[in-house]
Amino acid sequence: MIARCIKVVWCVVALSLLCMNARLYAAEGVIVSGHEEYAPFMWRQGDEIVGVGIDVVNIIFHDLGIQVTSRYVGPWKRILRKIELGEVDVLCGGYITDDRLKYMAFTEEPLSADPTAVFVWHSRSFPFASRDDLKGIRFGEVLGESQGQEFDAWRKKYASVEEVPTSILNIKKLEVNRIDAFVTGLYSGLLHIKKEGYAGRIIPLDHPVNTEYLHIGISKKSKYIQYLPQINRKLRELHRNGTIDRLIQYHLEHYSATQLGAAPR
């Protein structure tokens, strides 16, 4: 009799815990993540990702009546894996590639244009007029990143690419001449270099190597993929009314003020 009572009590406790976890999951709503160092679009702040991408996702899902939880889940490669597994619902900004399309659906409407630049050590700069000038270059690249699918393929054929877990390692390797250059978004690259104390020592070449577009991605295992048409419509509206442009300007100034110590204008 006592054993039966104990069993009943444990069943009640287990059921209560399950209900509690379900309520917590429901309260979290859509789980969103992004790159840990890609300002002004996304960057890590404690256990969260903040920036333009998160703000836009918040606006869109608020209109749908769905709670958003921003979460830092690790380096870029791990983020993509968690989206593939369905542990993260939404990527708040990324380039479209064939590999990512296997496990993510992307918005047709972009979040923003994103010119990408070749960054080099100032004393080892060189003229850059065409891709022929980049042949044979040793590039650094963060694991899982893309600088545009077509340019990724070109680099593998005509240059070399050494992968590292985090972007600060690219900076350190460039400083000691273990790589010749790295490629990243122009705006985020300039901000990150300044934050790490390398402004003026690491510089972009004369013009962007290409212009890619950041899109919002949704895991194909997420129940929120059904809202993709509404997300596209809202993105178009946010572009038309200038909201996204204003958010980019705000986060450029906010990042400078909070991460670089510069007062916003």
Side-chain angles (χ1 to χ4, degrees), residues 52-191:
V52 176
I54 291 294
D55 283 0
V56 169
V57 170
N58 263 308
I59 291 169
I60 291 170
F61 279 93
H62 179 269
D63 283 359
L64 294 170
I66 298 169
Q67 176 72 31
V68 171
T69 297
S70 171
R71 183 176 293 166
Y72 168 71
V73 297
W76 183 246
K77 188 75 171 179
R78 190 182 305 165
I79 294 166
L80 297 180
R81 179 60 177 158
K82 285 186 175 290
I83 291 171
E84 184 176 7
L85 294 172
E87 295 175 12
V88 170
D89 297 296
V90 174
L91 178 69
C92 68
Y95 298 163
I96 299 175
T97 68
D98 288 342
D99 183 60
R100 294 173 189 174
L101 284 170
K102 295 173 184 176
Y103 55 88
M104 258 192 288
F106 286 91
T107 56
E108 294 176 5
E109 188 73 20
L111 174 68
S112 176
D114 190 31
T116 57
V118 179
F119 286 86
V120 298
W121 193 256
H122 70 103
S123 61
R124 299 191 295 271
S125 182
F126 53 88
F128 173 45
S130 72
R131 287 186 183 176
D132 286 342
D133 298 319
L134 302 177
K135 287 183 176 179
I137 291 292
R138 299 170 298 165
F139 286 102
E141 183 70 273
V142 175
L143 281 164
E145 282 194 359
S146 170
Q147 307 307 330
Q149 187 164 272
E150 189 269 337
F151 184 56
D152 290 344
W154 185 93
R155 285 189 301 168
K156 289 180 180 178
K157 184 175 181 179
Y158 294 106
S160 64
V161 179
E162 299 180 18
E163 294 183 313
V164 294
T166 60
S167 52
I168 185 61
L169 290 176
N170 271 335
I171 289 176
K172 296 296 184 182
K173 289 176 72 172
L174 185 61
E175 182 176 18
V176 297
N177 200 21
R178 287 181 57 194
I179 57 173
D180 302 308
F182 61 83
V183 182
T184 191
L186 176 62
Y187 307 126
S188 61
L190 288 171
L191 288 171

